[in-house]
Amino acid sequence: IKQSRSVRGWLSMPFALLAESQRFKQEQTSSRLNQKLPPVEQYCDAYAAEHIKQHLSYRLGAQMIANSRTLGGWVSMPWALLGEVKAFRKVHR
């Protein structure tokens, strides 16, 4: 808001936003390091989360995220998705 009052401020706003986002990420990281979380098995919905991970839509989404990181992943994505569908059908027959 301070930088929206002048033309010079408008030009420097992307840099101010970048600095603010980096500061926010650093604060979040430092607060997470000090926080001790219980093991996953102690959460009341751990069983439901494991059950959802076996759904086809979840597995396809995980493959899409894993393959979207590189150009080669985009090229091989149709085969990876097809392989995931075949594996799902094999287990759930």
Side-chain angles (χ1 to χ4, degrees):
I1 293 175
K2 293 177 186 176
Q3 300 194 343
S4 66
R5 295 190 170 101
S6 67
V7 174
R8 184 177 178 192
W10 277 92
L11 295 175
S12 64
M13 193 174 297
F15 303 107
L17 290 173
L18 179 64
E20 185 64 31
S21 69
Q22 288 175 347
R23 193 173 353 195
F24 176 76
K25 287 179 184 177
Q26 186 178 23
E27 288 174 5
Q28 291 296 319
T29 304
S30 65
S31 68
R32 286 183 190 156
L33 292 176
N34 297 333
Q35 185 179 16
K36 300 288 183 185
L37 297 175
V40 174
E41 295 82 22
Q42 289 184 357
Y43 288 103
C44 61
D45 61 346
Y47 175 76
E50 287 300 319
H51 184 69
I52 289 173
K53 285 183 179 181
Q54 300 305 316
H55 289 189
L56 179 62
S57 59
Y58 184 91
R59 292 169 69 170
L60 291 176
Q63 280 293 328
M64 290 177 73
I65 290 171
N67 286 338
S68 67
R69 299 177 196 270
T70 63
L71 181 60
W74 281 100
V75 172
S76 66
M77 189 179 300
W79 292 278
L81 294 177
L82 183 62
E84 196 65 44
V85 169
K86 286 182 179 180
F88 178 80
R89 287 183 181 167
K90 186 177 181 181
V91 170
H92 293 345
R93 280 194 173 189

